């Protein structure tokens, strides 16, 4: 790292393979949208010899962003795997979207990787890292995942590597900013007329060597006097930072005593500190100039990945359980162990069908063998949104993706990743195990979709295909949730944000041939009586033959919230025959379900049957059901009916700088802040109760209010009366509806 020579690039057009976990590196790229992740992947692929000088694979497509939707929207919307070979190692680069709406793809990348590379643009301000990127950094820290930082866009006129390095130390370093330090400094050429000096190479702080890329090839040389004075302070600080994290406790004493610590010892200690997740080196990278064979800093970055990032052998396998729930002790990454693999992503190919990206944690996966697929059930607010499922499936062809191409693999060992064709019943997050010994891995945490999108089929032809298209869409993306709302009778697709929703609709149209219309989303309102009232239901018809005769008198009174509907029988003297009292109740409850004012279910009332009349021949179950419904409607006509709206318990985790803005916005939504408490990292947890009708787009609005630094959760609290003005408007809309 810094004192090593160039690696040996892998040949283009050949599938990268791995025969031992020690030769595999799984790295996820993390960074905000526009930070340069995809460009960096292409530069690494060029240096590794996997693409041509235009940064394209043989068919002319990008090695990473090759999806048609990504081309149209000009942004990454899905996780992509780019396998490379370098210096005898197989490197699986997992390129993730930077936009917050696709954090589910990011979480999948974190699950499949053993280390994270945070990509930061030197042309951007610190606010771009202070939101979602910082949260992901903290997630990685919580599980001890090794992390490094690469600064891109050094060619920008306002780029300042030193200033951005200090910003990274402040934001990511926390209590130990000396654990975030650069390994290299940019080497700049002659200033342009605008005064900006382009970056032409790097200066290695440990090796004290220059790596000049100006000619298109990486050339190594001794630094001159000007560079030597430039690196002295930064080098001393780097050495102190490495020694502070060294496992050799005598090293600091030797250094403070004036001993000269050799570079090999420092590099070895640096690599161990990086692999342990306690030191986070900062590197620089810039794309290759036209005609160049290597991008600036790509060799150094590949050396860090292969030398400093851990092997899959060093990662603990996530929890694995048997069918009876007993945890199984799986030895980390043994190719000869029991098969345990996980589907981290599913996608549909128009020619191949369903393709599953799989990380193998134990054992070896081979084509044409039968495996057991186990999937977790998911619930939301007590409703099942995804059923627990199991099936035996035959594994199709194994392949390594490269752009739109799929290169055939003969097997996939523990620690490696591969694409598996035709696992028709496997969904994202499912476990693959041996048919003889079914196992299941503990699920990883996924964000809750909080933006509702009410949809309906555009035509009858679309309606026939809608169910299958939506089920495939949700199976591919567990951050989407499909709801058939029984109260509003709407089909609702819950998404993470507007961009997420746009991609979902585009995939329905382009992949599954389903055109849908987006309609206004409705919340589940309720009705209740404001005061006590009485009603008489008279259903008497005689038109020859068997007639209908039923009369009942009821009293309705409001009850406290959450009481539901109570039915009380106070009939005396047999005015209503005993066999017809349940009929009256059935009619009352049926009418209550339909509503009595604006078409929403009636709740929290006590209905008391006081009196009635019957006929020895013409009375019937159906007649008394009708009379009960009529009585309830008449009681409602003489009293004020409250419309009740659902109120949500909302928790917002927001940076202290935006607490006032968020609380003011919640108040503007008729919300009541019920408490706040300090949270780690300079953040505050705000608890509030807010009507659900006011937070339909809160997932989008909160992101805008907090510049992407806040997140929230919601849960149902209760129904309570709406303001009279809003209630009246909804009643009028119900009356005007066809």
């Amino acid at each position: 790292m810094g004192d090593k020579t160039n690696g040996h690039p892998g040949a283009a057009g050949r599938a990268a393979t791995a025969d031992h976990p020690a030769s595999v590196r799984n790295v996820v790229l993390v960074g905000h949208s526009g930070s340069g992740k995809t460009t960096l992947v292409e530069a690494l692929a060029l240096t590794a010899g996997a693409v041509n000088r235009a940064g394209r694979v043989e068919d002319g497509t990008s090695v990473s962003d090759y999806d048609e939707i990504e081309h149209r929207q000009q942004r990454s919307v899905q996780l992509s795997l780019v396998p490379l070979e370098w210096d005898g190692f197989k490197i699986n680069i997992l390129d993730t979207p930077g936009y917050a709406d696709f954090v589910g793809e990011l979480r999948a990348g974190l699950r499949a990787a053993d280390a994270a590379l945070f990509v930061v643009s030197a042309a951007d301000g610190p606010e771009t890292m202070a939101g979602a990127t910082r949260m992901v950094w903290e997630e990685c820290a919580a599980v001890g995942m090794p992390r490094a930082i690469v600064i891109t866009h050094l060619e920008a006129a306002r780029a300042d590597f030193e200033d951005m390095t200090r910003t990274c130390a402040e934001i990511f370093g926390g209590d130990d900013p000396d654990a975030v330090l650069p390994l290299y400094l940019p080497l700049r050429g002659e200033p342009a007329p605008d005064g900006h000096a382009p970056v032409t190479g790097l200066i290695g702080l440990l090796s004290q060597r220059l790596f000049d890329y100006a000619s298109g090839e990486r050339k190594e040389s001794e630094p001159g006097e000007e560079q030597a004075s430039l690196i002295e302070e930064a080098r001393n600080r780097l050495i102190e930072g490495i020694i502070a994290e060294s496992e050799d406790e005598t090293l600091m004493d030797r250094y403070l005593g004036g001993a000269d610590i050799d570079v090999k010892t420092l590099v070895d200690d640096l690599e161990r500190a990086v692999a342990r997740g306690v030191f986070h080196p900062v590197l620089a990278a810039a794309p290759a100039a036209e005609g160049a064979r290597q991008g600036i800093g790509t060799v150094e970055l590949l050396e860090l990945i292969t030398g400093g990032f851990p092997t899959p052998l060093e990662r603990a396998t996530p929890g694995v359980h048997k069918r009876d729930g007993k945890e199984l002790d799986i030895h980390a990454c043994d190719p000869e162990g029991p098969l345990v693999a996980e589907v981290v992503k599913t996608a549909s190919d128009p020619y191949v069908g369903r393709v599953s990206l799989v990380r193998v944690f134990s054992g070896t996966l081979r084509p044409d063998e039968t495996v057991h697929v186990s999937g977790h059930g998911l619930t939301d607010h007590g409703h099942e949104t995804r059923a627990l499922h199991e099936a035996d499936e035959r594994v199709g062809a194994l392949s390594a993706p490269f752009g739109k191409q799929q290169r055939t693999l003969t097997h996939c060992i523990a620690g490696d990743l591969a694409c598996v064709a035709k696992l028709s019943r496997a969904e994202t997050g499912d476990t693959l195990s041996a048919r003889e010994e079914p196992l299941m891995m503990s699920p990883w945490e996924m964000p809750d979709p909080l933006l509702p999108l009410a949809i309906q089929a555009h035509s009858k032809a679309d309606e026939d295909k809608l169910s299958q298209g939506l089920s495939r869409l949700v199976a591919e993306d567990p951050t989407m949730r499909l709801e058939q709302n029984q109260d509003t009778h709407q089909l609702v697709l819950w998404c993470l944000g507007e961009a997420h929703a746009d991609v979902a609709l585009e995939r329905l149209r382009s992949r599954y041939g389903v055109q849908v219309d987006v309609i206004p989303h409705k919340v589940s309102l309720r009705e209740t009586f404001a005061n006590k009232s009485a009603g008489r239901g008279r259903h008497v018809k005689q038109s020859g033959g068997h007639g209908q005769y039923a009369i009942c008198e009821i009293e309705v009174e409001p009850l406290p919230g959450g009481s539901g509907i109570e039915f009380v029988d106070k009939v005396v003297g047999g005015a209503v025959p005993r066999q017809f009292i349940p009929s009256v109740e059935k009619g009352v409850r049926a009418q209550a379900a339909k509503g009595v004012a604006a078409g929403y279910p009636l709740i929290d009332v006590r209905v008391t049957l006081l009196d009635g009349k019957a006929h020895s021949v013409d009375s019937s179950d159906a007649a008394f059901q009708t009379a009960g419904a009529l009585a309830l409607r008449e009681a409602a006509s003489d009293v004020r009916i409250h419309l009740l709206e659902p109120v949500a318990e909302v928790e917002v985790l927001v940076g202290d700088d935006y607490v006032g803005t968020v609380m003011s916005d919640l108040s503007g939504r008729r919300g009541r802040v019920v408490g706040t408490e300090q949270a780690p990292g300079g953040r505050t947890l705000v608890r509030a109760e807010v009507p659900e009708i006011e937070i339909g787009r809160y997932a989008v609005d909160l992101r805008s209010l907090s510049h992407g630094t806040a997140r929230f959760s919601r849960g149902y609290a209760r129904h309570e009366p709406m303001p009279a003005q809003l209630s009246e408007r909804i009643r009028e809309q119900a009356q005007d509806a066809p």
Side-chain angles (χ1 to χ4, degrees), residues 32 39 81 115 136 169 251 261 278 334 350 362 402 421 450 513 536 539 541 585 602 638 671 684 715:
H32 62 86
T39 302
L81 169 65
V136 177
L251 203 58
I261 311 299
V278 296
D334 180 5
S362 174
F402 210 78
L450 296 169
R536 185 172 189 266
H539 183 62
K541 289 188 177 181
E585 180 179 359
L602 179 72
D638 292 334
T684 298

Side-chain angles (χ1 to χ4, degrees), residues 590-652:
Q591 184 62 53
K594 297 176 184 177
V596 293
Y600 298 103
L602 179 72
I603 61 171
D604 300 337
V605 293
R606 177 185 291 122
V607 179
T608 304
L609 178 60
L610 300 174
D611 201 359
K613 290 182 180 180
H615 189 277
S616 59
V617 175
D618 293 340
S619 290
S620 65
D621 169 67
F624 271 101
Q625 283 190 45
T626 303
L630 290 171
L632 185 61
R633 289 209 297 268
E634 182 178 288
S637 66
D638 292 334
V639 73
R640 187 158 55 94
I641 301 296
H642 281 315
L643 277 188
L644 305 178
E645 62 181 339
V647 175
E649 292 177 335
V650 175
E651 290 188 351
V652 185

